[in-house]
Amino acid sequence: MQHKKFDYIVLGSGVAGLRAAIELAAHGDVAVITKCFLGESSSEYAQGGVAVVLNDDDDIFLHIDDTLKAGDGLCDRDAVLTLVEEGPRYIRELIAWGAQFDMHGGNLSFTREAAHSVNRIIHAQGDATGHEIVRSLKEHAGKFLNIYRVEYMYAIDFLVEDGRVTGVLTVDEKTGEQFAYYSKAVVVATGGAGRLFNRTTNPEVATGDGAAMAFRAYAELEDMEFYQFHPTALHFPGAPAFLLSESMRGEGAYLKNQNNERFCTKYHEDGELAPRDVVSRSIFFEMQELNTDHMYLDLTHLDKDFVKNRFPKIHSTCLEYGIDITLDLIPVSPAAHYYMGGIKTDTEGRTALKGLYACGEAACTGVHGANRLASNSLLEGVVYGGRSAKAAVRECNGFDILETEPEDRPLIKEEDYTKALRDIQNTMWLYVSVSRNEEGLKKAIDFLENYLVHFEGKRPADRKTAELRNLAEVGLMMAKAALARPGSRGGHYRDDLPERMSENTHIYFSDAEYNPRIR
Ligand code: SIN
C-alpha cells in the first residue's frame, strides 16, 4: 500500500470542501480527495440561490428568525447566529474571487423563497447558482500550487490512533490500488445521502460516505431522523427527479391538483410559500386524497419571457421532455433533497474526534434544526467550510503526521449492485420518507440490519460496494432515530404520532452500535 503525506486533507469537493481547501492552502499542502471529478457534488446542482443579508431592506435578525422558525425550534442558536452574521463577508469574498451573481440596475438581484420574510436570495445565471459558486471556487483554488486534486479516489475509512484521526484509507477507482493518506487534520465535506431514496434531486455521489465513516470511527452523529424532501421535483416517465427550484414559487408559481385547483392554503396559511417540510407534506396528502402520484406546478400566468430568462436551465431541461414551462403545467412530486442531520460539530466544525472537522451537508452544525430554510445550505458551505479549516489550522498545525497502519480485513464485493441499491432505495422510500410510522420503520430497520450483516469484519472491495455499506448504515441510523422520536417535528413526520413533539430533544449516535441516545 502506498503512503502519502499532506499537511491537510479535504474529503469532498463541493462548495464546503473547496472553500475549506482554499483556507487551508495558506498553511500547508492540501490534498482534496474526491471520488469523482473535482466539483461533482450536490452544490453543483443547487439552483435557487444563496440566502444572505445584503439587501438594504433586510436585517440579520430577520434572517436568524426565519431560520429558527423553519427549523421548528430545534436549531442551535449560536450556529445560526454565526452563519447569518458571517454570511455577508463570505459572500463578498466569493464575489471578489470572481463569482458572478445576477444583477438588477447595478445591484444584486434578490428573490424570495418559502419561509423567508423578505427578498434575500441571490442567484446566478437565473437557476444555476451552485454551478457558478463551484466554478468560481475551483478557479480560485486552481491558483494555489499547493492544493492537489486527487480525483476518482474513494475513501473507505478514517485512520485513527489514540482518539485522533491521522488520515484516510482510500482506493483508486481506476486501478483498485489502496492508498493511505496521512495529515495533521482531515476536513470532511462529502455531502449528503440523497441516494438512499429512489426519488432524489441529488447526484450519484450523494451516498452518505462521510457520515458513515465518522460513525465507524466512533465520532458523534446528530439529528439523523431529519431529512428534507423537496416539494417540487419533476415527475415524468423516464425523466430524473430534476429539481424545480423553490424560487419558482417565490416568483409566483402555483401548486395545483388534478382539478386545476390551488390546494396549499388548505394545509398552511402561507400556501405555496410555507416552510418546505409543510409544502412537501401538503403535496403528499393531496396526492393521497386524490389517489395520484403527482401534482402540478403552474407558471403559465407569469410573463413568458421573464420565466424563460429567470429559469433558463429548468426551461431547457423540461423542454427535453416535451414540457414548455411557459405554457404547460409541470408534473411534480416530492423528492429526497437535503440531510439536516450528520456528523455533529460545534460552530468551529470540530467533531468528537481530534483532527477531524466536518462542514457542509455532511455535518450537523445545528444550523438547520428539524427543517432547513431554503437557500441556507450554500451559505453554510462557504461559512462553515472556512471556519472548520481555520479551526483545523489553529488546533492541528503543530501536530506530527502519524502514519497509522490500516487494519487488515478480508474484502467483500456486492455482486448484484443494481438490485441491492434498488432494494435499499425502495425500502427507504416506502418506510422512511415523507411520512413514517412504527410498523414501517421496524420493517426498514430489519431489512437494513440483515443487509449489513454481510459487511461485518470486512472491507468493501470496490466503490459501489463501499457506497452500499455507507447508505445502509446511514439509512439504519435514520430509521432508528425516526423510531426513537415518538412524535412529529419539522421534516420528521409520523402518521401514527402526528402531534408535534414539544420537547426540544436531539438524538445522537456515537457507539458504532446504532443505539440512539436522546438528550
Ligand atoms: C431550490 O432551488 O429550491 C433548492 C435550493 C435549496 O435547496 O435551498
Side-chain angles (χ1 to χ4, degrees):
M1 181 181 307
Q2 284 205 47
H3 288 202
K4 303 244 175 191
K5 288 204 265 182
F6 288 86
D7 293 302
Y8 299 100
I9 291 171
V10 176
L11 269 191
S13 63
V15 161
L18 290 168
R19 182 61 189 79
I22 290 167
E23 193 73 42
L24 292 165
H27 306 274
D29 290 348
V30 185
V32 179
I33 301 177
T34 182
K35 66 179 178 179
C36 198
F37 53 87
L38 196 80
E40 178 62 350
S41 58
S42 295
S43 313
E44 169 68 27
Y45 301 94
Q47 295 175 356
V50 186
V52 60
V53 179
L54 286 172
N55 184 351
D56 290 344
D57 303 337
D58 203 356
D59 187 291
I60 294 284
F61 294 103
L62 284 178
H63 190 184
I64 292 172
D65 205 41
D66 290 344
T67 302
L68 296 175
K69 272 196 197 130
D72 202 6
L74 287 183
C75 299
D76 179 307
R77 280 177 174 271
D78 287 345
V80 174
L81 199 82
T82 302
L83 174 84
V84 173
E85 272 185 351
E86 297 200 358
R89 181 168 67 74
Y90 275 90
I91 295 302
R92 283 195 197 99
E93 180 183 65
L94 264 187
I95 294 171
W97 291 347
Q100 291 179 17
F101 293 101
D102 296 333
M103 307 290 284
H104 183 75
N107 297 313
L108 285 167
S109 167
F110 296 93
T111 190
R112 173 86 59 110
E113 285 183 358
H116 287 273
S117 52
V118 297
N119 288 14
R120 70 162 65 93
I121 318 294
I122 57 171
H123 41 88
Q125 297 154 37
D127 52 7
T129 315
H131 171 77
E132 174 58 13
I133 297 181
V134 170
R135 183 204 64 74
S136 60
L137 285 172
K138 277 201 305 196
E139 198 173 290
H140 194 65
K143 295 179 183 155
F144 293 85
L145 297 178
N146 60 339
I147 295 182
Y148 297 84
R149 50 162 91 181
V150 185
E151 297 175 310
Y152 299 99
M153 179 73 78
Y154 63 92
I156 295 276
D157 271 311
F158 295 119
L159 300 168
V160 184
E161 198 167 315
D162 296 331
R164 179 190 143 195
V165 169
T166 55
V168 191
L169 173 64
T170 69
V171 182
D172 182 325
E173 195 179 353
K174 292 185 177 147
T175 63
E177 194 179 352
Q178 292 193 359
F179 290 83
Y181 278 82
Y182 299 107
S183 62
K184 299 173 183 174
V186 177
V187 178
V188 190
T190 46
R195 288 282 150 179
L196 272 172
F197 298 94
N198 49 16
R199 268 186 70 70
T200 181
T201 60
N202 291 186
E204 281 184 9
V205 291
T207 53
D209 302 340
M213 288 168 64
F215 171 71
R216 292 194 294 273
Y218 300 93
E220 192 166 41
L221 290 97
E222 181 180 13
D223 287 348
M224 296 301 278
E225 71 277 34
F226 292 126
Y227 195 87
Q228 181 169 82
F229 294 85
H230 197 286
T232 55
L234 184 61
H235 188 117
F236 192 73
F242 178 71
L243 180 65
L244 296 163
S245 177
E246 188 140 323
S247 48
M248 299 173 96
R249 279 173 282 130
E251 298 287 4
Y254 300 143
L255 274 164
K256 289 186 168 173
N257 63 19
Q258 267 61 9
N259 306 323
N260 205 25
E261 295 160 346
R262 290 176 69 185
F263 58 90
C264 287
T265 44
K266 259 177 26 191
Y267 301 95
H268 193 283
E269 59 188 7
D270 292 338
E272 283 93 347
L273 292 181
R276 196 173 272 182
D277 58 326
V278 175
V279 180
S280 283
R281 278 196 295 279
S282 307
I283 294 177
F284 185 81
F285 294 144
E286 193 73 5
M287 293 193 312
Q288 277 186 332
E289 196 170 311
L290 298 182
N291 194 21
T292 175
D293 60 4
H294 63 275
M295 291 283 122
Y296 293 102
L297 192 64
D298 182 3
L299 288 86
T300 57
H301 53 288
L302 302 178
D303 180 79
K304 297 189 186 348
D305 286 334
F306 168 75
V307 169
K308 270 193 238 170
N309 293 331
R310 179 69 182 81
F311 302 110
K313 177 80 184 147
I314 298 174
H315 180 248
S316 63
T317 304
C318 288
L319 271 183
E320 287 171 26
Y321 299 98
I323 301 164
D324 182 339
I325 64 170
T326 66
L327 299 172
D328 304 319
L329 298 185
I330 317 168
V332 295
S333 70
H337 186 58
Y338 191 88
Y339 216 150
M340 275 77 74
I343 306 164
K344 179 179 166 37
T345 71
D346 62 10
T347 53
E348 311 291 329
R350 293 187 197 103
T351 70
L353 295 176
K354 218 190 290 173
L356 185 68
Y357 298 78
C359 51
E361 195 176 347
C364 179
T365 55
V367 153
H368 308 303
N371 173 51
R372 177 176 62 92
L373 181 67
S375 286
N376 263 354
S377 49
L378 291 172
L379 189 69
E380 188 193 25
V382 286
V383 171
Y384 282 93
R387 287 181 70 82
S388 51
K390 284 190 175 108
V393 169
R394 220 172 32 242
E395 292 163 8
C396 307
N397 209 19
F399 284 6
D400 291 331
I401 298 178
L402 303 180
E403 295 189 48
T404 311
E405 271 307 319
E407 268 177 51
D408 241 359
R409 295 258 170 110
L411 297 181
I412 176 168
K413 179 174 163 56
E414 175 58 72
E415 294 302 338
D416 197 345
Y417 167 77
T418 309
K419 178 179 180 314
L421 180 64
R422 198 176 49 228
D423 288 349
I424 292 174
Q425 291 180 334
N426 286 343
T427 302
M428 292 300 291
W429 189 260
L430 256 181
Y431 302 126
V432 200
S433 60
V434 180
S435 185
R436 305 157 169 181
N437 57 51
E438 182 176 343
E439 193 186 334
L441 290 169
K442 284 185 170 160
K443 284 186 187 157
I445 290 169
D446 269 359
F447 170 79
L448 293 165
E449 280 179 344
N450 279 333
Y451 184 67
L452 282 167
V453 168
H454 300 100
F455 291 97
E456 275 169 20
K458 308 222 173 72
R459 174 164 297 141
D462 59 9
R463 171 175 153 187
K464 285 180 185 292
T465 307
E467 290 177 343
L468 286 171
R469 176 175 68 161
N470 293 339
L471 284 171
E473 288 183 348
V474 171
L476 184 53
M477 281 187 272
M478 191 186 289
K480 285 223 168 188
L483 187 64
R485 184 173 280 286
S488 299
R489 192 83 181 249
H492 164 71
Y493 177 77
R494 293 268 303 253
D495 56 35
D496 54 346
L497 296 164
E499 288 303 307
R500 180 179 181 275
M501 257 186 95
S502 56
E503 302 89 338
N504 290 334
T505 49
H506 292 268
I507 296 176
Y508 301 89
F509 293 88
S510 59
D511 59 2
E513 291 294 333
Y514 303 102
N515 292 323
R517 286 179 301 99
I518 304 176
R519 62 173 198 259

